[in-house]
C-alpha cells in the first residue's frame, strides 16, 4: 500500500446566484445613529462628577458580621481611560488609606486598603473588586482560607447632606 498516493475527494459546489447590482449603490449610507464611545472622555467626566463620600457596610461571608464603612475620596484623577482613586476608608473603628482604579470602559473598580491592621473580617494584602462601579464590591482575600465578603456602598452618607432651606412666605 502506497502511503504517498493522492486522495481524491469529489467536491460539491452549489451554483452561485447572480449578482444583484442594486446592493452596490454608491455612496453607501447607514441608516440610524452611530454610537461613539470615548472611554478617555468618560474617565474625565467620571473624575469631575464622582461623589467624594460613600457610605455602606461590609458583610463577612465567614462570620456573617456586618461592619459600617465610610469611603472618603481625597483625589480622583483621570489617567487615560482609568480613574485613579485615593483617599481613606473608615472600616468600623479602623481608618486606612486606600488606593484604587476605576476603568471607565468596563466600570471595574479595584480598591486596596493600605493599613497593616484591618478589622478581623479583613486581612492585609486583600483588595476590593467591583464589577458594577462603586456600588457593590467583593473582598478578595490574600489567602484561600478566607471566604471574603461583600462591600455595599452608596454615594450619600446620612447626615452629610445639607439641610433643606425652607422658604418664608
Amino acid at each position: 500500500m502506497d502511503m504517498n498516493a493522492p486522495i481524491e475527494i469529489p467536491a460539491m459546489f452549489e451554483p452561485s446566484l447572480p449578482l444583484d447590482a442594486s446592493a452596490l449603490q454608491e455612496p453607501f449610507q447607514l441608516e440610524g445613529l452611530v454610537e461613539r464611545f470615548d472611554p478617555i472622555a468618560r474617565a474625565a467626566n467620571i473624575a469631575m462628577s464622582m461623589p467624594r463620600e460613600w457610605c455602606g457596610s461590609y458583610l463577612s461571608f465567614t462570620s456573617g458580621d456586618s461592619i459600617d464603612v465610610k469611603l472618603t475620596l481625597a483625589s480622583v484623577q483621570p489617567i487615560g481611560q482609568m480613574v485613579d482613586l485615593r483617599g481613606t476608608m473608615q472600616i468600623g473603628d479602623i481608618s486606612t488609606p486606600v488606593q484604587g482604579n476605576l476603568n471607565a470602559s468596563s466600570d471595574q473598580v479595584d480598591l486596596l486598603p493600605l493599613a497593616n491592621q484591618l478589622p478581623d473580617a479583613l486581612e492585609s494584602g486583600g483588595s476590593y473588586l467591583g464589577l458594577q462601579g462603586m456600588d457593590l464590591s467583593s473582598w478578595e482575600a490574600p489567602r484561600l482560607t478566607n471566604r471574603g465578603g461583600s462591600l455595599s456602598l452608596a454615594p450619600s452618607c446620612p447626615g452629610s447632606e445639607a439641610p433643606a432651606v425652607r422658604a418664608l412666605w
Side-chain angles (χ1 to χ4, degrees), residues 18-25:
L19 182 61
D20 183 10
S22 65
L24 299 175
Q25 295 176 358

Side-chain angles (χ1 to χ4, degrees), residues 3-168:
M3 297 301 282
N4 293 328
I7 299 174
E8 293 183 24
I9 301 174
M12 301 297 252
F13 295 103
E14 293 184 19
S16 61
L17 299 175
L19 182 61
D20 183 10
S22 65
L24 299 175
Q25 295 176 358
E26 291 290 332
F28 183 72
Q29 295 180 358
L30 293 175
E31 294 181 18
L33 298 175
V34 176
E35 185 176 334
R36 296 181 184 191
F37 177 72
D38 185 1
I40 295 172
R42 183 165 187 258
N45 186 23
I46 288 172
M48 287 187 333
S49 64
M50 177 179 246
R52 300 303 194 250
E53 206 169 77
W54 296 75
C55 289
S57 62
Y58 171 75
L59 176 65
S60 171
F61 293 152
T62 305
S63 66
D65 294 338
S66 180
I67 304 170
D68 289 334
V69 176
K70 181 177 181 181
L71 173 66
T72 305
L73 298 173
S75 171
V76 180
Q77 298 293 322
I79 302 172
Q81 75 175 21
M82 303 298 284
V83 179
D84 182 54
L85 308 170
R86 295 174 192 254
T88 59
M89 183 181 277
Q90 182 77 26
I91 307 168
D93 296 336
I94 297 175
S95 181
T96 176
V98 292
Q99 181 176 337
N101 298 315
L102 185 145
N103 187 328
S105 186
S106 66
D107 280 340
Q108 180 175 333
V109 175
D110 294 308
L111 277 177
L112 303 170
L114 301 175
N116 289 332
Q117 295 297 323
L118 294 173
D120 293 335
L122 307 172
E123 294 180 56
S124 292
S127 65
Y128 290 105
L129 173 65
L131 300 177
Q132 300 173 3
M134 297 289 286
D135 297 333
L136 183 63
S137 303
S138 65
W139 174 253
E140 301 293 321
R143 297 183 304 140
L144 293 175
T145 57
N146 186 331
R147 296 189 335 193
S150 67
L151 175 69
S152 178
L153 295 174
S156 62
C157 295
S160 66
E161 298 171 5
V165 178
R166 292 180 48 190
L168 299 172

